[in-house]
Amino acid sequence: NMKGLIYIEGLTEKQVRQRLSHAKIIRTNKFGVNSCLYYILFEDVKGRYLCLFNGDRECFRALFFSKVLLN
C-alpha cells in the first residue's frame, strides 16, 4: 500500500527520517550533476523505501519496493 508514501514527497529530510523512524537506513549516497542530489534507502518488514532529495534537503520523489514477490 503506497497510499501514505506519496505524502513523504515535499517533506524535509528531517521530517522524512521522523516518518520512517521505524525503518533502518540501508544506504545513502549522492548522485546527479556535481553530486547535487542524494538518496536515502530505508528498509522495514514491509519492504524498502527510496527517498530522493534535492540540494535543499527536500524529498522530491519517494518510491516503495515491496518484499512480496509475484509468481
Side-chain angles (χ1 to χ4, degrees):
N1 184 2
M2 291 182 52
K3 194 173 187 180
L5 188 61
I6 297 167
Y7 300 113
I8 290 176
E9 292 179 11
L11 299 181
T12 65
E13 178 187 353
K14 183 177 179 180
Q15 292 169 323
V16 170
R17 285 178 182 257
Q18 288 174 338
R19 285 259 176 102
L20 295 175
S21 63
H22 65 280
K24 182 171 87 172
I25 295 177
I26 300 296
R27 178 179 288 165
T28 182
N29 205 351
K30 294 184 177 186
F31 67 97
V33 178
N34 298 326
S35 297
C36 61
L37 307 172
Y38 66 101
Y39 69 87
I40 301 176
L41 182 63
F42 298 89
E43 183 178 45
D44 68 5
V45 295
K46 296 177 187 173
R48 292 186 174 184
Y49 306 84
L50 177 63
C51 299
L52 307 176
F53 296 89
N54 61 24
D56 295 329
R57 297 182 177 261
E58 181 182 37
C59 182
F60 67 89
R61 185 61 52 111
L63 304 167
F64 175 73
F65 302 93
S66 176
K67 286 190 174 185
V68 176
L69 298 176
L70 302 175
N71 293 339

